[in-house]
Amino acid sequence: MRDGASSPALTPSLALGFDFGVRRIGVAAGDTLTRKANPVGIVTPGAAGEDWPAIVKLIDEWRPRLLVVGIPYNEDGSESPMTERARAFARELGLRTGLEVALSDERYSSLEAEGRLREARRSGARPRRVRKEDVDRTAACIILERWLDRPPTDGNARMISQLYADGTLRHLLTLDGLDRRLIEYLIERAQGFLTVAGSAPPRSAALSGVTVANLFSEPSTRTRASFELAAKRLGAEVINLDVHLSSRVKGESMLDTIYTLAAMSIDVFVVRDAEAGVPEFVAAHVGPHVSVLSAGEAHVSHPTQGLLDALTIIRHKGRLDGLGIAIVGDIRHSRVARSAVQAFTTLGARDIRLVAPAELMPATREFAGCSRLHDIDAALAGADVVMMLRIQRERMAETDIPDAAAYFRRYGLSASRLARARPDAIVMHPGPMNRGVEIAEDVADGPQSVIREQVTNGVAIRMAVLEAVGGAILRSRRAG
Ligand code: CP
């Protein structure tokens, strides 16, 4: 499909991007082939609101196929009054022009625009000072380029089905909405890949002929090593591409990287990226019998971690329903917490306690059904499972990072705090741990800690997931 002259990817369509603001609306034009945008102009709303004649004139001049409007959100993804104003603008734009209007998260586009303009000025390409109008026009370029470079992913807008038509697993991008039976099947299969400590791990040739590519653009120890081991133990070929050492740093787009690897007959892409939407974007652009597995997507999703956490609890407690589960720490920025809660609730957990200071608590529209507490001591009372999370410094402004010692005093899991939980409570942590910040040394290594078991279970879960998607690939290959 990628090589054919009639491929949609090779048929350019013109698009206009809008950076909506109450004082100025920046406009940019770009196309779906180059996926690059250039500034077009600024529309200045009058006292009566948007200057619709000027906007419609632009549309008439450029004749785009598609319009993209940047939607502003607060930094944590919650909505502000501007969010609804921008949406209203987009609705009106669609009504007045009769064109499709896509909405795109515009967070950080102005910051990125200022950076681009300053860089151009430093390099001599743009000697003038950076004006607000320039920032708005460039922000419109960024909004449009982001959209052209990947599909929208917010809310329910996931565009990719994770299943083949027969209901078997094709991609694993999120646990949100995944059928309970499928989750149970993967956990059950993973149980079969676990052996007694000290014995040789199971090996098979089940995935002989399958090629797996690990594409990690964020650091990882556990997930990357366990995906690699899991694939090799099932007989697959594996390549590991450190995206920071790949041609991406020479300007190659994510899509070109995927097409290049696809041309080497990759069957399964394992993708970790700091940007939301990237695993789904890759899934939207691979061939019909290629699978994509998320290995961690921004703060959004870490599905195999959610599965391995559920497996770990089941191995100790036999079930999820009826358990008191405290998840403590930086929940706002945690993809682990999101996927864990999706897995736990699908499997029947009803008492999930989120524990965090206000600034690390997620927006109220998220984590429906979980209780929210600021007092860790109250939250730990009678808990069966205590899951500690690290502070995701990489997703926070320097000024928002709490002081480590003060944080430990208020939220760190010490032995005396853990004594509030049930005597047989298990202590979990996805890693990497910051000892002395969210968890005390003696608790991390203590008898209730199952942190290293989580790592072992991670290999088994990734074997189960790879076996499921790789098996489907081999079956379709055999069927011709
Ligand atoms: N839990 C987890 O995702 O760890 P890594 O970042 O080391 O993969």
Side-chain angles (χ1 to χ4, degrees):
M1 174 182 135
R2 243 49 89 189
D3 302 327
S6 61
S7 158
L10 297 181
T11 310
S13 295
L14 190 77
L16 288 187
F18 294 82
D19 176 38
F20 177 80
V22 281
R23 291 202 188 83
R24 289 172 304 279
I25 300 171
V27 188
D31 69 84
T32 52
L33 182 57
T34 66
R35 302 188 297 281
K36 295 275 176 257
N38 287 302
V40 162
I42 290 284
V43 179
T44 313
E50 277 75 64
D51 184 354
W52 287 110
I55 293 168
V56 171
K57 186 162 172 269
L58 266 178
I59 308 282
D60 285 345
E61 279 168 13
W62 284 85
R63 297 184 177 277
R65 289 270 299 279
L66 170 80
L67 309 174
V68 179
V69 174
I71 302 295
Y73 295 93
N74 295 323
E75 216 170 276
D76 64 359
S78 58
E79 299 194 358
S80 71
M82 274 303 283
T83 313
E84 189 39 47
R85 285 188 73 162
R87 278 210 198 98
F89 168 74
R91 277 194 296 272
E92 185 73 18
L93 191 59
L95 285 174
R96 286 181 184 256
T97 62
L99 290 168
E100 186 188 341
V101 181
L103 308 183
S104 181
D105 185 343
E106 64 113 295
R107 270 177 289 174
Y108 311 114
S109 57
S110 296
L111 268 181
E112 199 178 321
E114 278 178 44
R116 262 195 205 182
L117 291 164
R118 289 217 175 84
E119 186 54 39
R121 195 175 53 165
R122 258 197 301 277
S123 66
R126 188 183 183 90
R128 287 184 287 115
R129 72 186 169 86
V130 173
R131 296 178 305 157
K132 287 198 170 94
E133 291 81 353
D134 297 330
V135 173
D136 293 335
R137 274 189 283 258
T138 308
C141 292
I142 289 163
I143 288 165
L144 185 52
E145 285 173 0
R146 279 187 196 163
W147 193 92
L148 292 169
D149 222 21
R150 65 184 171 86
T153 57
D154 56 312
N156 296 321
R158 282 206 177 263
M159 298 167 73
I160 297 295
S161 168
Q162 302 193 100
L163 307 181
Y164 289 109
D166 67 0
T168 54
L169 189 68
R170 178 180 174 199
H171 303 301
L172 185 58
L173 310 173
T174 178
L175 298 179
D176 191 13
L178 210 61
D179 188 73
R180 177 174 181 154
R181 277 166 306 178
L182 184 48
I183 292 180
E184 284 173 340
Y185 169 78
L186 293 169
I187 289 174
E188 193 55 40
R189 236 3 242 143
Q191 298 260 27
F193 289 123
L194 288 167
T195 49
V196 281
S199 62
R203 287 180 188 279
S204 81
L207 296 193
S208 173
V210 171
T211 309
V212 176
N214 279 330
L215 261 63
F216 279 59
S217 67
E218 263 196 335
S220 169
T221 301
R222 283 146 284 266
T223 312
R224 180 171 157 163
S226 59
F227 262 116
E228 181 173 356
L229 281 175
K232 286 181 171 166
R233 285 177 186 169
L234 291 170
E237 268 185 312
V238 185
I239 61 159
N240 292 301
L241 194 76
D242 184 337
V243 175
H244 296 299
L245 298 177
S246 75
S247 288
R248 288 282 299 281
V249 294
K250 297 184 221 160
E252 185 168 73
S253 72
M254 173 54 107
L255 203 48
D256 285 332
T257 305
I258 297 302
Y259 289 167
T260 302
L261 292 171
M264 298 182 208
S265 303
I266 299 298
D267 298 300
V268 182
F269 288 95
V270 179
V271 180
R272 170 172 288 195
D273 206 282
E275 230 192 285
V278 168
E280 186 178 15
F281 172 68
V282 175
H285 289 87
V286 293
H289 287 288
V290 174
S291 293
V292 178
L293 307 177
S294 168
E297 173 191 354
H299 63 285
V300 177
S301 182
H302 196 350
T304 53
Q305 180 74 43
L307 292 174
L308 79 88
D309 289 338
L311 167 62
T312 305
I313 295 175
I314 287 169
R315 282 181 71 79
H316 280 271
K317 303 290 175 194
R319 66 195 196 287
L320 268 301
D321 57 296
L323 299 181
I325 302 173
I327 303 179
V328 186
D330 181 3
I331 295 161
R332 175 177 291 202
H333 301 103
S334 175
R335 56 192 174 209
V336 171
R338 287 176 175 82
S339 288
V341 168
Q342 286 157 6
F344 299 171
T345 51
T346 302
L347 294 174
R350 293 292 171 265
D351 177 10
I352 302 179
R353 311 162 192 178
L354 307 182
V355 191
E359 60 277 17
L360 300 181
M361 200 58 102
T364 45
R365 66 188 157 81
E366 288 195 277
F367 293 93
C370 298
S371 54
R372 292 161 184 254
L373 298 97
H374 299 307
D375 179 353
I376 182 172
D377 295 311
L380 291 187
D384 300 280
V385 175
V386 184
M387 179 189 280
M388 302 305 294
L389 300 174
R390 103 188 142 84
I391 296 168
Q392 305 262 307
R393 301 169 68 95
E394 67 276 29
R395 300 188 214 291
M396 298 166 75
E398 198 63 36
T399 47
D400 293 339
I401 297 171
D403 171 72
Y407 182 83
F408 182 74
R409 278 195 300 279
R410 257 195 90 190
Y411 287 100
L413 186 63
S414 60
S416 58
R417 273 205 171 122
L418 179 57
R420 293 177 171 272
R422 290 174 63 92
D424 61 350
I426 56 171
V427 174
M428 302 174 69
H429 194 306
M433 273 186 287
N434 289 311
R435 291 165 182 257
V437 181
E438 70 270 7
I439 190 165
E441 196 97 42
D442 55 345
V443 174
D445 300 325
Q448 289 170 266
S449 169
V450 297
I451 295 168
R452 282 181 213 139
E453 281 177 49
Q454 287 176 268
V455 178
T456 306
N457 294 344
V459 181
I461 278 291
R462 283 153 191 143
M463 286 176 85
V465 172
L466 282 166
E467 182 192 60
V469 300
I473 290 164
L474 289 172
R475 281 196 297 281
S476 93
R477 203 177 280 165
R478 279 195 293 270

